[in-house]
Amino acid sequence: MDVQKLAARLKLHDERAFEEIIQRYTPLVSTIIYNIAGGRLQRQDVEEVVTDVFVTLWRNTDTLEPEKLHGYICCIAKSRAKDRLRKEKPIELVDISTVEEADDTVIALDCENKELCQDLKQEIRKIKEPDKEILIRYYYYYQSVSKIAAALQMNVETVKSKLQRTRQKLRTALINRGYEA
């Protein structure tokens, strides 16, 4: 069945449609959570987060726009995974040599346009240290600004400033490549 029709049925609280959506989207939701967690959650924790994603979807069917089901589910999965990681003991050390792997996996999930993904990865590779490490710790390892500041022995405001400037550089670089703001 077409996903939009399935989402429209879900909006009417059709339990069979909900079951089919769970069946279709569980592999995707699990992958998103595994990739965001980066091995920091045990299997049962990931399964619990997957369940939370679908419970959230069911509770919010009234606000669902059927044509945006896929993106909505992905956003819920990312949000719930990040929430769960915040409750877990954070990883203090980040092996920055894994950046290439991290950006290939995580950016691919966040980006439907393959060309944009490649361009974004190229621009991230151009960023100099410590700005690159701050960006990766914040967006790929979901560390808080205060944790990053402590790990890199920097002031919190310095980290915020560097993060803001790096985002602006990426934005400008992508605009220069022809992407809209």
Side-chain angles (χ1 to χ4, degrees):
M1 174 177 282
D2 175 69
V3 174
Q4 280 191 2
K5 289 179 183 175
L6 206 54
R9 287 180 39 212
L10 176 65
K11 195 167 172 76
L12 299 171
H13 298 282
D14 182 331
E15 290 182 22
R16 286 193 178 145
F18 183 57
E19 290 170 8
E20 191 170 332
I21 288 170
I22 291 171
Q23 186 176 25
R24 280 189 187 194
Y25 283 95
T26 294
L28 174 65
V29 169
S30 297
T31 300
I32 290 169
I33 295 165
Y34 272 113
N35 286 336
I36 289 175
R40 291 180 277 171
L41 297 177
Q42 295 190 13
R43 185 173 183 214
Q44 63 268 26
D45 296 327
V46 171
E47 290 171 0
E48 190 176 305
V49 175
V50 169
T51 301
D52 289 345
V53 168
F54 291 110
V55 168
T56 301
L57 176 64
W58 182 255
R59 287 181 180 160
N60 294 292
T61 56
D62 295 337
T63 60
L64 177 68
E65 296 176 41
E67 66 278 359
K68 296 181 180 179
L69 176 67
H70 181 87
Y72 188 63
I73 289 174
C74 290
C75 286
I76 295 170
K78 289 181 221 176
S79 177
R80 292 296 172 261
K82 290 175 191 178
D83 290 346
R84 184 57 181 256
L85 286 174
R86 285 185 192 107
K87 294 178 184 175
E88 299 295 316
K89 182 180 177 190
I91 294 175
E92 294 301 324
L93 299 175
V94 174
D95 181 3
I96 296 304
S97 66
T98 65
V99 169
E100 298 300 319
E101 298 167 24
D103 67 30
D104 284 343
T105 304
V106 178
I107 293 173
L109 282 174
D110 289 342
C111 183
E112 292 179 12
N113 179 330
K114 298 289 184 207
E115 187 177 327
L116 174 59
C117 289
Q118 293 296 25
D119 290 345
L120 184 57
K121 286 188 278 188
Q122 286 176 1
E123 293 303 325
I124 289 171
R125 287 182 188 115
K126 292 178 187 178
I127 299 169
K128 297 191 183 332
E129 297 299 339
D131 298 349
K132 184 176 184 178
E133 183 171 353
I134 291 168
L135 184 81
I136 289 165
R137 285 176 178 268
Y138 188 79
Y139 285 105
Y140 298 138
Y141 294 98
Y142 304 102
Q143 290 184 344
S144 68
V145 171
S146 59
K147 291 276 184 201
I148 296 169
L152 300 180
Q153 298 177 343
M154 292 181 169
N155 182 298
V156 171
E157 293 305 316
T158 302
V159 171
K160 286 180 183 177
S161 175
K162 287 183 173 290
L163 193 56
Q164 181 180 10
R165 276 190 238 124
T166 303
R167 282 191 299 253
Q168 184 57 43
K169 285 178 188 176
L170 281 173
R171 182 177 185 268
T172 301
L174 291 174
I175 288 171
N176 291 339
R177 285 180 176 249
Y179 296 98
E180 293 181 21

